[in-house]
Amino acid sequence: MSIVVTGATGHLGTHVIEGLLEKVPAEQITAVVRDEAKAAPLAARGVQLAVADYDTPESFDGVFSAGDKVLLISGSEIGKDRVAQHKVVIEAAKAAGVALLAYTSAPGTLTAALADDHRGTEQALLASGLPYVLLRNGWYNEVFAENLGPVLAHDAVTHAAGEGRVSSAARADYAAAAVAVLTGEGHENTTYELGGDVAWSYAEYAAELSRQTGRTIAVNPVSVDAYADILTGAGLPEPLARILAGVDASIEKGELVVTSGDLTRLIGRPSTPIAESIAAALKG
């Protein structure tokens, strides 16, 4: 039996593999990757590698075995048919008879276009009959903390979220939740709504940036359309800019506030505050 992780060399996957290595022997872990060379350090540590691509269904032949626990990390390529990509993994897992398939989804309250692929994947997973876990990850601290260039260049946080709040947490927190599910028992057919312990607003985010940088970081609220135009002007493809602006609209409506407490219960500790992720990013 293996614990199989797709997208294993991505940002989240890397944290998951590291967490698994602390819990189980390396030979019980299979990392599914597109670039074998990029995963060479994992192989050197004893992790099994499987080279497969969501866009090449036959590449998943033989990747899974009966009894495996699988983490399907959602694809990140905007413009791709991500539901079709994820179905490749679901169908291969079903054919192999895996014991559990966990999927990194989005909060159940999120109505932004970003959530459409996640809802479609959830439907496909439930229809498959596989034992499942839905890990509905909230927003990542790093989405904000690792993209400080424009903020610090203009000394302003521009957003279209009004006074809405975000229950964000660090990637490592969401990864730890996945590890807990993959290495624990009794999680079958469960949905976890995951988010940080403390929700914050953009005004509070700007205040924290001001405190840590010693500069005055202003808050620049704009409309959703204006924000999409700003993002497009900064070089983002228009479809992606519209998606991100749509997330801000969802934040204003309270759709990224998570109050379940599921994340803290799964990882057995408080979630990482946004202030801590900001500090790490500024040092980095």
Side-chain angles (χ1 to χ4, degrees), residues 58 114 158 206 251 264 271:
E58 60 271 20
L114 182 70
T158 299
I251 291 173
T264 292
S271 63

Side-chain angles (χ1 to χ4, degrees), residues 11-181:
H11 291 304
L12 182 62
T14 297
H15 283 294
V16 171
I17 296 293
E18 289 298 328
L20 288 172
L21 284 167
E22 295 177 3
K23 299 270 191 178
V24 299
E27 61 267 21
Q28 292 182 15
I29 305 167
T30 297
V32 180
V33 300
R34 289 189 294 187
D35 184 346
E36 189 171 7
K38 187 176 179 181
L42 295 179
R45 296 170 70 182
V47 174
Q48 307 301 304
L49 300 185
V51 180
D53 191 312
Y54 295 151
D55 292 325
T56 310
E58 60 271 20
S59 67
F60 277 90
D61 292 346
V63 168
F64 307 124
S65 300
D68 284 349
K69 292 183 177 180
V70 178
L71 176 64
L72 169 54
I73 294 180
S74 58
S76 59
E77 296 172 291
I78 300 298
K80 291 272 190 175
D81 185 347
R82 293 198 296 170
V83 177
Q85 289 180 324
H86 299 157
K87 282 181 177 178
V88 167
V89 178
I90 292 168
E91 289 167 6
K94 182 178 181 179
V98 305
L100 183 74
L101 194 152
Y103 172 64
T104 60
S105 192
T109 51
L110 186 65
T111 62
L114 182 70
D116 294 346
D117 289 345
H118 292 298
R119 298 290 92 84
T121 301
E122 289 184 3
Q123 291 168 8
L125 179 51
L126 268 60
S128 74
L130 282 168
Y132 69 88
V133 177
L134 300 181
L135 296 167
R136 288 179 169 170
N137 291 350
W139 231 225
Y140 297 168
N141 286 353
E142 288 84 356
V143 170
F144 307 92
E146 292 181 356
N147 292 288
L148 294 176
V151 173
L152 298 179
H154 300 284
D155 283 337
V157 175
T158 299
H159 68 91
E163 297 180 4
R165 306 180 77 80
V166 183
S167 301
S168 69
R171 281 195 192 102
D173 298 338
Y174 295 115
V179 169
V181 164

